Amino acid sequence: MPGRFVTVEGIEGVGKSTNLAFIADRLRGLGHDVVITREPGGTPLAEAIRAVLLDAAPGDMPPITELLLMFAARAAHLAQLIQPALDAGRWVLCDRFTDATFAYQGGGRGLDPAAIAALEQLVQQELRPDLTFLLDATPEATAARRSDRGTNDRFEQEDLEFFRRVRQVYLARADAEPQRFRIVDASRELQQVQRDLADIIATDFKKSI
């Protein structure tokens, strides 16, 4: 049987890394062979592109360059890790995927979503996530978490208005695809967030998705 492709999305500071590990542990507890990966990145080539994307000085990278680099990394990630794992029957759990591109490069940078959709089709063909967790919180609610990280990359240095636009696109995509998205209020205490995640996993992953 083919594996399943699960993604975790959200703006900076919503706790994706912590909750990604929690989701993986729960899925493994159900007997699934889980591969954890991230975007941009996941393979040596894609990680090298990630470094270019995150380490550039603010304002030095044109938005269209950023978009093309995102999909260049994604093409390598898909060919070298995601698709082979799915074909082998493994479950792939990915920290962000193309929803993030629509949110960050589309909403945040103002690029044409039609251009993003064209690249999505070119690079991914028919592959889309089977289920997406959207960890949702306002930029105001996550500002302290972002600042507590210390050294911030180019995206983490963006202002509140940027993250408001990103969040708006995430929520619009979730509203357009309710069968795929599961929205979790990430502004609450971690224990409450993970209780919701556990309930979703118990409901959605004990049956075919």
Side-chain angles (χ1 to χ4, degrees), residues 66-115:
E66 183 178 285
L67 175 65
L68 293 172
L69 285 172
M70 286 289 183
F71 273 104
R74 184 163 297 136
H77 194 196
L78 284 166
Q80 297 169 347
L81 190 151
I82 293 175
Q83 195 62 62
L86 294 174
D87 291 344
R90 306 182 75 186
W91 286 49
V92 176
L93 180 61
C94 192
D95 183 344
R96 294 206 174 108
F97 195 61
T98 310
D99 292 303
T101 307
F102 280 99
Y104 278 78
Q105 283 71 53
R109 304 290 187 217
L111 293 176
D112 184 359

Side-chain angles (χ1 to χ4, degrees), residues 114-161:
I116 300 173
L119 288 168
E120 178 184 38
Q121 184 62 34
L122 175 67
V123 170
Q124 299 170 217
Q125 299 299 308
E126 302 307 314
L127 179 67
R128 302 292 185 274
D130 294 294
L131 191 138
T132 297
F133 291 94
L134 175 56
L135 301 177
D136 179 54
T138 66
E140 292 80 2
T142 58
R145 298 179 191 174
R146 293 196 301 275
S147 64
D148 288 344
R149 292 179 177 180
T151 303
N152 293 330
D153 63 38
R154 191 166 59 87
F155 290 98
E156 291 169 332
Q157 294 176 45
E158 293 290 347
D159 60 20
L160 288 177
E161 185 54 40

Side-chain angles (χ1 to χ4, degrees), residues 136-203:
D136 179 54
T138 66
E140 292 80 2
T142 58
R145 298 179 191 174
R146 293 196 301 275
S147 64
D148 288 344
R149 292 179 177 180
T151 303
N152 293 330
D153 63 38
R154 191 166 59 87
F155 290 98
E156 291 169 332
Q157 294 176 45
E158 293 290 347
D159 60 20
L160 288 177
E161 185 54 40
F162 175 88
F163 288 114
R164 290 188 188 107
R165 295 195 299 272
V166 171
R167 179 176 182 246
Q168 184 178 29
V169 172
Y170 268 136
L171 291 173
R173 290 182 66 78
D175 185 62
E177 296 186 64
Q179 74 285 356
R180 174 166 69 89
F181 278 86
R182 302 292 180 271
I183 302 176
V184 176
D185 181 357
S187 66
R188 300 166 300 158
E189 294 295 326
L190 180 61
Q191 185 177 19
Q192 295 174 301
V193 173
Q194 293 187 340
R195 186 181 301 119
D196 281 2
L197 291 172
D199 288 344
I200 292 168
I201 291 166
T203 301

Side-chain angles (χ1 to χ4, degrees), residues 28-49:
R28 286 170 179 146
L30 294 175
H32 301 300
D33 182 3
V34 180
V35 178
I36 300 178
T37 189
R38 68 178 182 177
E39 287 226 336
T43 70
L45 176 56
E47 288 289 336
I49 298 172

